[in-house]
Amino acid sequence: MVSASTVHIGLWGRDEECDAIRRLLDREDGGALLFHGPPGSGRSALLAYARRWAGERTVLAGAGLADEATLPYAGLHRLLDPVLDADTALPVRQRRLLRRALGGDGCPAEQRLALAAAVRSLLAAAAADRPLLCTVDDLDIGDPQSAWTLAVVARRLRRLPVAMLLTATAPATVDGVPAHRLRPLDAHECHAMLAGLRERPPAAVATALAALSRGSPAALADLAGTLTPVQWRGEAPLPGTPPVDGTLAAAYRARLDLLPEPTRRLVLLAALDPGDDPATLVRAAWAAGLTVEALAPAEAAGLLRTGPGGVTFPHPLARTMITAVAPLADLRTAHLLLAGTLAEGALGRALRHAIAADCPADTLAAELSAAVDEVPDRAAAAVVLRRAAELSPDPGRAAELTIAAARCAWTAGDPDQARGLLRRLTAGPAHSRADLLRGEMQLRCDAPAAAVATLLAAADVVAPTDRRAALLALVRAGEAICVTGDQYRYAEVARRAEALRRPGDPPDLDLLATFATGVGATLRGDHARGGPALRRVVVLGGRLTGPALTPGALVCAAAAALLVAVDGPAHRLAGRAVEVARARGELSLLPRALELRAVAEYWLGRHEAAAETAREGVRAARATGQHVCAQVHLGILAVLAAVRADRDAALARIAEIGDGAAPGSRPDAYARWALGVLDLIDGRYADAVARLSALARTGTGRGQVLVQVMATPYLVEAAAHDGGRPAAALAVFDHWASSTASPSRRALAARCRALLAPRGGPEAEREFHAALRLHPADTDRFERARTELLFGRELRRRRRPRDARAHLHRAREAFTLLGATVWAERAGEELRAAGESVGPVRRGPEQLLTGQQLHIARLVAEGATNREIATRMCLSTRTVDHHLRNVFHRLGVRSRTELARLLS
């Protein structure tokens, strides 16, 4: 009998499960498997695959039906009906017991095991001529008597030629049987499935559908089956949820219909509530005359889980589908109950006003803005605002509330939810506000080039009524321009920002406008105008207080500080931005703030700290769906590894960036800078010059001008070896460095001039001495050591070995202390060439371990357990175990105590 809930979907992402099925069917003896997962995870498709693979086996197919859940042994009767004639081979007592149970007369409790033995004997008789395959879908939906009996039989098939495959929502349905949990499909598998269902959609549509489906095969199939051709091509908005008349919705309805009415009401409340505060659900249940104990049937059915932290759902799509299939009256009642639980808070008051039809729009907007600012949990605020939008009788007000909810979801680090909310909007006055958010997500997540046009257009529309939002949109558009490498377009941003400036602007507006005009001037080389403007931004950023103290404003101030080379303030401002973003729950700005902190640490010479910050940035960007930001941090890590001559680590980071970085973008430029440094270290000077010169086209405003400025010292060094003279790039760097008050930048400029000065002349020596005088003694030790090395090499080549040795000794000592072994060895080679006898450099943990291994080793030395390390680094404990074994092997230690002693 064919399962009534069969979903005809492909088996993408189910290779492991298919292998398990084939191994079971290829065995001569019997056995059973359980596949469990949420509705729509592809369980029925796996059973269909098994039936196709059954070969010569006799196949019995059954399924649990909600309509027969109250009929004892109805499911067992439907499964065994085709082979009931074989009961003549059973002993009389077993035959009578089986016939009575399947005939509707039930089975006494003390004879349930005997009934299971009779079913096993019947299956053995049916398999006498050829092996048997039994598949039972949705075991937990049908009658519990059949489920219990089949579970007993499934555990006793080893010596029979009978294979049994069962599916259920939760693994607790069948104990003692090997179980496979069906995981959600990943993005690649979703794209492959969509291409198999219809003609391959555009990448943006496939990505959006994968996010909507949350990896559910049934949801993906339902969405693909309901989209119009225009939607499939990406020319019309996509739906916000899977269709309510689809297979997945029907599966959820079937499971909810089995629950008692109080349980259904409480499950709906749990689905609507974010679940972060269990007290909210308890209060709402009490107001409805319910208790949380009513959730027990839903938990037993595998629809949800309860614990000290509240209610969780096994699949991220479960909340959406439970609310989607709920009757409208039940949905509104649940919303109102939850609204009442927030009555004591500012958000609760604002929510009640949003529900009321007579609240003035301006009063509501001010109240919501103040209320949301008071709540650090932006995810909870997003839920409340979404609830207010769904309850609001005014379409315009509902749109504003939906946009506010989407912004809270985005700042909480959930871009998929934010996009889903924005897809609900129709064209109207609020569209430009939605575009402000769309543009920001495009910048950080997947389409910085598209973000420029989106943000500029939105800024024009909102400027007459909200200059703050318009200026912030212009600043974000400028950031997108810099990420894509089209700096020549920044002039337009600066012009528009200047037009929005007004006398007497408050500090936060003054900061945004001044930042845009200052960056515009700096990018066109007008440091006389850009420098003072950006220094003013740094000062304003340090004075921000109250509501003006936002992560966005601090990020602008930190970026301004880097552009005028005040690294200490840049580091403090970026660090403050990280702190404020975490305190306010604005996780969407965390990756950008960490990027600026890492760059500041690079300029300060704190390479290890910069690498740790960038690794944290990768984790934060990936956790919040910001793929572009993650690539930027990977690029920074590649550069840091290359600068320290760690070829393997640099290439690994570049490989992680992959082909996803657009040519000419900031991640692409960082990757090419890292490769150029590796070329320089390996003596491929022409290749290094070619790579680093191509980072930007000087004088055109195209390319990654800011990245090339950072890479110019390496470009000049490679060109000096190759006999070239990158005059344009050096002129840009020299002009910028001389406009700053930074000794470290001026030291690098002097070193560049020394390298390009005529060999053997006094100019080179004069510039090297100037560089060493300018290098700060307390920071930038790595670059000072590189200057000592280059000066020592120059003196040696000029046949002044005694003078050279003093510089080379200082370089070797500094590199050794910094753990830069390759550079220390280079200094040692130069010393030997200068007539000094030096031994090999001792390799410490920093050189023997990868960055990740070193991080794990230091956490172990601090006393962290493997589980604690896994949690902090977002790894599995198995991965931590693997890395730790390699650490012990490479360092030659045998215990955590020895490791801690070595690292101390």
Side-chain angles (χ1 to χ4, degrees):
M1 185 171 293
V2 178
S3 168
S5 61
T6 297
V7 180
H8 294 289
I9 57 178
L11 289 171
W12 293 271
R14 299 290 180 252
D15 292 346
E16 182 179 341
E17 290 78 9
C18 289
D19 288 343
I21 289 171
R22 290 195 300 271
R23 286 196 300 271
L24 176 62
L25 295 179
D26 289 343
R27 286 163 48 178
E28 293 184 2
D29 58 349
L33 293 174
L34 170 68
F35 298 107
H36 65 93
S41 54
R43 299 171 303 181
S44 302
L46 282 168
L47 297 190
Y49 172 84
R51 290 191 289 268
R52 292 195 302 270
W53 194 264
E56 297 300 320
R57 288 176 179 263
T58 300
V59 176
L60 297 180
L65 296 179
D67 290 344
E68 298 181 356
T70 58
L71 303 177
Y73 301 107
L76 196 61
H77 181 274
R78 295 173 65 242
L79 175 70
L80 300 179
D81 185 64
V83 294
L84 278 179
D85 291 343
D87 70 350
T88 56
L90 271 60
V92 173
R93 185 177 176 184
Q94 284 190 344
R95 183 168 65 251
R96 287 176 179 172
L97 183 61
L98 182 62
R99 289 282 182 177
R100 190 172 80 173
L102 299 185
D105 292 331
C107 176
E110 67 274 9
Q111 292 188 309
R112 292 169 65 198
L113 184 59
L115 175 62
V119 172
R120 180 182 182 275
S121 298
L122 180 64
L123 295 177
D129 295 329
R130 55 179 182 166
L132 185 66
L133 168 65
C134 298
T135 65
V136 185
D137 203 4
D138 296 329
L139 187 66
D140 49 344
I141 288 184
D143 65 277
Q145 296 84 359
S146 294
W148 187 89
T149 304
L150 287 170
V152 173
V153 172
R155 291 189 285 266
R156 291 164 172 81
L157 294 176
R158 177 163 297 181
R159 289 191 293 274
L160 297 181
V162 178
M164 184 176 289
L165 299 177
L166 309 171
T167 74
T169 304
T173 307
V174 183
D175 292 328
V177 172
H180 292 257
R181 179 181 177 274
L182 303 186
R183 60 171 178 80
L185 304 183
D186 61 28
H188 176 74
E189 290 160 351
C190 287
H191 288 212
M193 180 175 171
L194 287 169
L197 293 171
R198 291 174 61 169
E199 62 176 299
R200 186 178 296 275
V205 173
T207 300
L209 291 176
L212 274 175
S213 72
R214 300 297 186 98
S216 166
L220 208 58
D222 287 345
L223 286 164
T226 57
L227 292 189
T228 65
V230 176
Q231 288 176 313
W232 190 258
R233 295 194 298 269
E235 298 168 3
L238 296 175
T241 61
V244 295
D245 58 350
T247 303
L248 183 61
Y252 272 97
R253 280 196 194 92
R255 280 157 178 79
L256 291 169
D257 287 345
L258 290 175
L259 301 176
E261 190 271 339
T263 302
R264 286 201 301 272
R265 291 166 58 198
L266 197 50
V267 167
L268 180 57
L269 283 170
L272 290 170
D273 186 73
D276 296 328
D277 182 8
T280 301
L281 182 60
V282 172
R283 290 195 300 270
W286 182 84
L290 304 170
T291 63
V292 292
E293 285 74 17
L295 288 174
E299 187 166 17
L303 280 172
L304 50 77
R305 291 188 290 269
T306 60
V311 176
T312 58
F313 289 84
H315 192 275
L317 203 59
R319 290 182 188 272
T320 301
M321 298 311 301
I322 290 169
T323 56
V325 303
L328 186 59
D330 292 352
L331 196 61
R332 183 172 181 82
T333 300
H335 275 306
L336 290 171
L337 282 168
L338 286 168
T341 66
L342 300 170
E344 296 180 1
L347 271 177
R349 292 191 298 273
L351 176 58
R352 290 197 303 280
H353 288 163
I355 298 167
D358 57 352
C359 178
D362 54 349
T363 302
L364 173 65
E367 215 173 285
L368 279 172
S369 176
V372 169
D373 285 340
E374 289 179 16
V375 180
D377 188 347
R378 296 308 171 101
V383 172
V384 173
L385 290 166
R386 174 171 58 84
R387 192 173 300 135
E390 291 167 343
L391 293 169
S392 176
D394 178 7
R397 181 177 299 175
E400 291 289 349
L401 290 167
T402 299
I403 293 171
R407 178 159 290 284
C408 283
W410 162 241
T411 56
D414 191 349
D416 291 338
Q417 183 187 354
R419 292 189 189 99
L421 288 166
L422 292 180
R423 277 193 288 268
R424 299 182 181 184
L425 299 172
T426 56
H431 190 72
S432 58
R433 295 249 171 218
D435 279 346
L436 293 174
L437 180 55
R438 285 192 186 96
E440 186 177 343
M441 290 193 291
Q442 287 172 337
L443 161 63
R444 309 253 185 247
C445 296
D446 51 16
V452 178
T454 303
L455 290 166
L456 289 177
D460 277 346
V461 176
V462 303
T465 57
D466 191 343
R467 286 192 300 124
R468 179 178 281 101
L471 282 169
L472 190 57
L474 289 173
V475 167
R476 298 270 160 77
E479 185 184 340
I481 284 169
C482 292
V483 169
T484 57
D486 295 328
Q487 275 89 342
Y488 70 94
R489 298 183 62 183
Y490 209 105
E492 180 185 359
V493 171
R495 177 182 57 78
R496 294 190 187 189
E498 186 62 33
L500 290 175
R501 189 193 296 273
R502 300 288 183 272
D505 272 342
D508 56 338
L509 264 69
D510 189 13
L511 182 148
L512 291 172
T514 305
F515 176 77
T517 54
V519 173
T522 298
L523 289 176
R524 67 174 183 268
D526 188 355
H527 299 301
R529 290 176 181 269
L534 294 174
R535 291 186 188 92
R536 175 173 169 73
V537 172
V538 176
V539 173
L540 288 171
R543 294 176 178 173
L544 293 173
T545 58
L549 183 63
T550 64
L554 290 168
V555 160
C556 289
L562 287 172
L563 288 172
V564 292
V566 284
D567 304 323
H571 189 256
R572 287 192 295 274
L573 288 164
R576 183 71 174 131
V578 171
E579 293 172 5
V580 174
R582 286 188 172 131
R584 292 168 56 113
E586 297 189 24
L587 303 183
S588 60
L589 272 171
L590 196 54
R592 173 63 172 158
L594 289 167
E595 175 195 345
L596 296 172
R597 192 173 81 181
V599 174
E601 287 164 344
Y602 167 83
W603 281 118
L604 288 168
R606 305 174 190 171
H607 291 180
E608 189 58 43
E612 180 55 37
T613 297
R615 284 191 288 268
E616 185 181 353
V618 172
R619 293 193 293 271
R622 286 173 172 168
T624 55
Q626 299 186 37
H627 308 299
V628 174
C629 289
Q631 289 177 334
V632 170
H633 281 284
L634 290 169
I636 293 172
L637 286 169
V639 170
L640 290 167
V643 164
R644 297 176 73 83
D646 188 346
R647 166 177 289 278
D648 291 343
L651 294 178
R653 294 303 187 181
I654 292 169
E656 281 190 75
I657 296 173
D659 298 331
S665 65
R666 186 177 293 164
D668 176 68
Y670 276 133
R672 287 191 285 154
W673 177 10
L675 291 171
V677 173
L678 293 177
D679 286 336
L680 169 65
I681 292 169
D682 292 343
R684 296 189 297 273
Y685 304 118
D687 292 342
V689 170
R691 286 190 201 276
L692 299 176
S693 298
L695 293 177
R697 295 187 287 281
T698 308
T700 67
R702 297 180 184 273
Q704 291 295 326
V705 176
L706 299 178
V707 176
Q708 189 179 63
V709 166
M710 295 176 70
T712 294
Y714 294 93
L715 169 59
V716 169
E717 185 177 343
H721 280 285
D722 198 45
R725 188 177 181 85
L730 178 57
V732 170
F733 183 84
D734 211 356
H735 182 43
W736 170 65
S738 63
S739 74
T740 72
S742 169
S744 65
R745 305 305 192 279
R746 295 186 176 194
L748 291 174
R751 187 175 83 193
C752 288
R753 292 192 295 271
L755 289 170
L756 296 179
R759 179 68 56 82
E763 182 184 352
E765 188 167 351
R766 184 171 61 251
E767 294 290 358
F768 270 124
H769 280 300
L772 291 174
R773 283 195 306 272
L774 287 166
H775 274 302
D778 55 339
T779 62
D780 205 16
R781 290 183 298 161
F782 181 80
E783 289 299 342
R784 181 183 183 87
R786 295 223 330 110
T787 300
E788 296 272 21
L789 171 60
L790 291 169
F791 190 18
R793 186 185 64 188
E794 172 67 17
L795 291 171
R796 180 188 64 78
R797 290 178 177 179
R798 291 169 60 181
R799 301 183 185 279
R800 294 169 57 185
R802 178 179 297 179
D803 295 335
R805 286 196 288 269
H807 295 287
L808 294 172
H809 271 298
R810 285 194 290 269
R812 185 172 185 266
E813 180 181 354
F815 286 136
T816 302
L817 291 173
L818 291 170
T821 306
V822 172
W823 292 109
E825 290 172 350
R826 291 287 172 90
E829 292 169 2
E830 289 291 337
L831 275 169
R832 284 188 285 274
E836 185 91 3
S837 177
V838 293
V841 178
R842 182 179 177 273
R843 293 169 64 84
E846 292 83 357
Q847 294 76 50
L848 293 171
L849 303 179
T850 66
Q852 187 141 317
Q853 289 171 345
L854 184 61
H855 189 198
I856 290 172
R858 286 173 173 163
L859 291 175
V860 168
E862 293 170 7
T865 65
N866 286 11
R867 186 175 297 278
E868 290 169 342
I869 295 169
T871 301
R872 290 175 63 175
M873 297 185 65
C874 299
L875 300 172
S876 69
T877 53
R878 181 178 296 180
T879 301
V880 173
D881 291 341
H882 171 74
H883 283 309
L884 198 53
R885 285 195 297 272
N886 288 335
V887 167
F888 280 21
H889 175 72
R890 292 189 178 193
L891 298 185
V893 298
R894 292 177 293 178
S895 69
R896 301 169 88 93
T897 303
E898 286 185 31
L899 177 60
R901 190 180 300 118
L902 176 65
L903 291 179
S904 66

